[in-house]
Amino acid sequence: MSEFLFDMDGTLLDSIAAVEQAWHEWAAEEGVTIPEGESFHGRTSRDLASAFVSEERIPAALQRLSEIEQNPQAPVTPLPGARELLAAVPGDRCAVVTSAARLVAEARLAAGGITPPALLITGDDVSRGKPDPEPYRAGTRWARDGVPPVAFEDTVAGLRSARSAGCRTVGLVGTTTAVELRPHADAVITTLAEVAVVIGHDGSLRVRLHTT
């Protein structure tokens, strides 16, 4: 039987604008500039902070960034098909694996009207974030019968993390283009509405995709 693992921002939630607004508000307070085109999507807040402030300032920087991110100024909404797909998967068979801090993840899921599954892996739970496999290894601890879990991700860093952890990978176009996702994904889709879950008589889960 298979598990389903979901990234959060850009996969379940249309929250990228809120994420970037928080980053730039934080950067302005810190007196630093995030270069145009620099992408930290799919990576932890510590990765972002350590790129711009000295080591001794990181704890305070992370605290302030978390405060800003918990109060999004841009709308956070579920992406098409997200609620329906989560509702189709038994709660003990799926997980959210996000680079966001736990309080931030809980705030964003609540803002998007999504109830967290029983297993929520956040940036607070790992020492190494995506693209390291540690986040998805933590998320696959419920793997069953040797069947690879299926991970849904919108970034290359996330797909690399999931694949290195032994997952089958599905790339979701939006934050990243299909061309960028394909080398790291077993399949690429444009929306979670293209995903159907079938529960077998033996309780096994199967996924059907309308892929690009």
Side-chain angles (χ1 to χ4, degrees), residues 6-27:
F6 299 92
D7 173 54
M8 184 178 70
D9 298 308
T11 300
L12 294 175
L13 296 175
D14 182 1
S15 53
I16 297 303
V19 172
E20 294 184 347
Q21 182 276 329
W23 289 352
H24 288 285
E25 181 179 339
W26 171 83

Side-chain angles (χ1 to χ4, degrees), residues 97 121-140 160-162 164-165:
V97 181
I121 302 298
T122 73
D124 294 337
D125 302 314
V126 297
S127 58
R128 296 177 301 278
K130 304 171 187 178
D132 191 273
E134 184 182 354
Y136 274 97
R137 282 179 180 158
T140 59
R160 288 175 57 196
S161 172
S164 296

Side-chain angles (χ1 to χ4, degrees), residues 39 41 154-157 159 171-181 188:
S39 178
H41 291 297
D154 67 312
T155 68
V156 169
L159 290 171
L172 185 65
V173 175
T175 310
T176 312
T177 67
V179 171
E180 294 170 296
L181 295 173
V188 175

